Amino acid sequence: MRTYLGLVSAFALTGGAAFWLSCASDLWNNYVRDSEDSCVRVGCPGGGTCNSTTGFCDGAGDMASAVDMGPFSKGELFKDPLAITSSINIAAMNLYEMSTRTTTSSDDIPEIWLSDLSRNMVRLVSTGAKLAYTGTLVSIDIAPCSLTSAQGASNGRRDLLVPQLGNQYTRVVGSGATLSPRTAMLPGFKLMSIGDLNDDGFPDMVMTSSKLKAGAAIYGTGSDGSSAVFSGNSNYGLDLLTGTSLEGKLISATVEHQPTKGQSGFNLAMISENDVSSAVLTQLTINGGNFSLSSRLQVNIPASDFAIPVDFDRDGLNDLVLVLRWDGASSPSQPAGGVSLIRNLGSAGSPAFDKAQIVPLPISGGLVLGAHIADFDLDGAPDITVLHADASGNSFLMYRNESSPDMVQRRQFRFFGKMTTRYAPRAIEYVDVNGDGCKDMLMMSSGSAALTATGVDIQVALGKKRGIGLMDCP
């Protein structure tokens, strides 16, 4: 299951500099720590004291827990990042989106797909040598506004999904990368959220003609905020469903991060342009060619663009990760955007949220460009990576979801490092790029601080862990 956010935008800094932001930020998978700095720059939650020697917070509390956990090293999970090489010079291009797909099965070495703001996509296929790829240009009929992927066969093969600016999306399938356009009946800038809504083992999709401000700033006013629901069939296709309209003028409609079999009472969270301080939670049920909504709950939240249903405290109930992204227009001299957490205090089938329980991640200044949910320490609990930029640099900020040693269902998210990049962070995926059985961190950044500059970085931090109880990769 894969949840997907997106925008492309730019802003001018003092002296004529600019950042370019990505239209796409995938919210699914695992990660790494960079020890260059930590709490020295980002600070500590809950009144903790920053230890400038270790870079960790001493005595910091979160989620009502006053316990500080032991240090955690990126070396336990990942090797140092390396740049991929390509037969075409992607560093000289303006590319803003990234996703991966596999052509035969989930065990394949994944292809890497990139796109720009026009009708061009770049397909990178592994040569078999370490982090070396052959690149080809693929032209698509209507400009893509984002990239993601979904399971395309019973063997786990993943197909590329390309939402487009016209009333369609394209599915890329097969070893020959066949482009298969599909009617979407939604205009303008689009966001996709992929998940198994009816627990039948086939991926479903909710697509939104998003009213996200930064998306509108780049793509114009063609988006109307409407949505469409697609059901996965036994051939792993996506069939358009009929049913009750979702909330009007939507910024986002996000499917739950992992299946909870209806325990939470909701599997979809929506935020409307009409009220960005309210998340509407509902249970979306699929019956044949129709869908219906039930158990509607409205939750007061800080102003946000996305409310992501995810069980971050592992009590079996969906909580919410709230993401506010920089809007592409406000001054970059002030902090813009943020990520917050709100715990579900209800019971099975009866969600309950208390605004007093909302806890922001300790992000110090700069711009929040996106967020990515991933179990990067492989302990079974989702962690968070924040895509972040400011006038002094660009980083993927890592927040580890640590368990409390007491018996209460509590977690604390603590910043424990970052991965620095020359360019603005675009997207992260956690996939096995070299076929050794361990998930690796694949990250993309592009655009520089110079207004006229171009540049793309794609780096891989090779993973060491296959999973709990399994032998580490060498």
Side-chain angles (χ1 to χ4, degrees), residues 89-326:
N89 186 15
I90 59 174
M93 305 174 75
N94 286 315
L95 299 167
Y96 302 100
E97 311 297 332
M98 181 185 75
S99 189
T100 63
R101 76 175 192 123
T102 53
T103 61
T104 304
S105 74
S106 58
D107 297 329
D108 288 348
I109 301 297
E111 297 180 351
I112 302 172
W113 284 71
L114 314 167
S115 68
D116 60 17
L117 300 182
S118 68
R119 296 188 298 112
N120 291 322
M121 294 191 294
V122 176
R123 179 191 184 194
L124 299 177
V125 179
S126 174
T127 65
K130 184 176 181 180
L131 301 185
Y133 289 79
T134 297
T136 56
L137 287 175
V138 179
S139 181
I140 195 167
D141 58 345
I142 303 173
C145 57
S146 52
L147 300 177
T148 190
S149 64
Q151 187 174 349
S154 59
N155 61 8
R157 186 193 80 212
R158 300 196 71 85
D159 297 338
L160 189 74
L161 296 178
V162 187
Q164 294 167 273
L165 294 182
N167 294 332
Q168 72 176 43
Y169 70 97
T170 289
R171 190 163 187 157
V172 183
V173 300
S175 57
T178 301
L179 304 182
S180 179
R182 312 294 173 92
T183 300
M185 299 193 303
L186 293 177
F189 173 70
K190 297 181 183 65
L191 298 174
M192 284 180 172
S193 188
I194 310 295
D196 186 358
L197 288 164
N198 55 352
D199 197 33
D200 65 354
F202 303 112
D204 310 304
M205 176 173 72
V206 176
M207 181 186 291
T208 307
S209 175
S210 175
K211 300 291 285 185
L212 186 68
K213 288 183 179 179
I218 293 298
Y219 295 113
T221 58
S223 298
D224 60 10
S226 58
S227 291
V229 179
F230 298 78
S231 175
N233 58 43
S234 59
N235 292 318
Y236 292 85
L238 291 166
D239 300 324
L240 181 64
L241 302 179
T242 59
T244 306
S245 297
L246 303 184
E247 300 289 316
K249 296 186 177 180
L250 286 174
I251 296 172
S252 64
T254 309
V255 178
E256 64 184 354
H257 186 270
Q258 78 283 333
T260 57
K261 302 184 187 301
Q263 292 183 62
S264 302
F266 70 98
N267 58 7
L268 182 70
M270 298 172 284
I271 294 181
S272 171
E273 182 188 49
N274 297 331
D275 187 0
V276 297
S277 296
S278 177
V280 176
L281 314 179
T282 186
Q283 186 74 30
L284 192 155
T285 302
I286 297 173
N287 295 297
N290 303 291
F291 74 90
S292 59
L293 304 176
S294 60
S295 306
R296 184 183 185 277
L297 177 67
Q298 190 164 319
V299 177
N300 294 326
I301 59 174
S304 302
D305 294 318
F306 301 89
I308 304 159
V310 54
D311 180 11
F312 60 72
D313 59 6
R314 297 200 294 186
D315 64 354
L317 304 175
N318 280 331
D319 308 296
L320 292 175
V321 174
L322 308 172
V323 182
L324 176 66
R325 302 184 71 171
W326 175 67

Side-chain angles (χ1 to χ4, degrees), residues 16 25 28 84 176 223 247 339 355 373 380 383 415 418:
S25 176
W28 191 248
I84 73 163
S223 298
E247 300 289 316
V339 180
K355 194 171 183 178
I373 296 174
D383 308 297
F415 176 82
K418 70 173 184 176

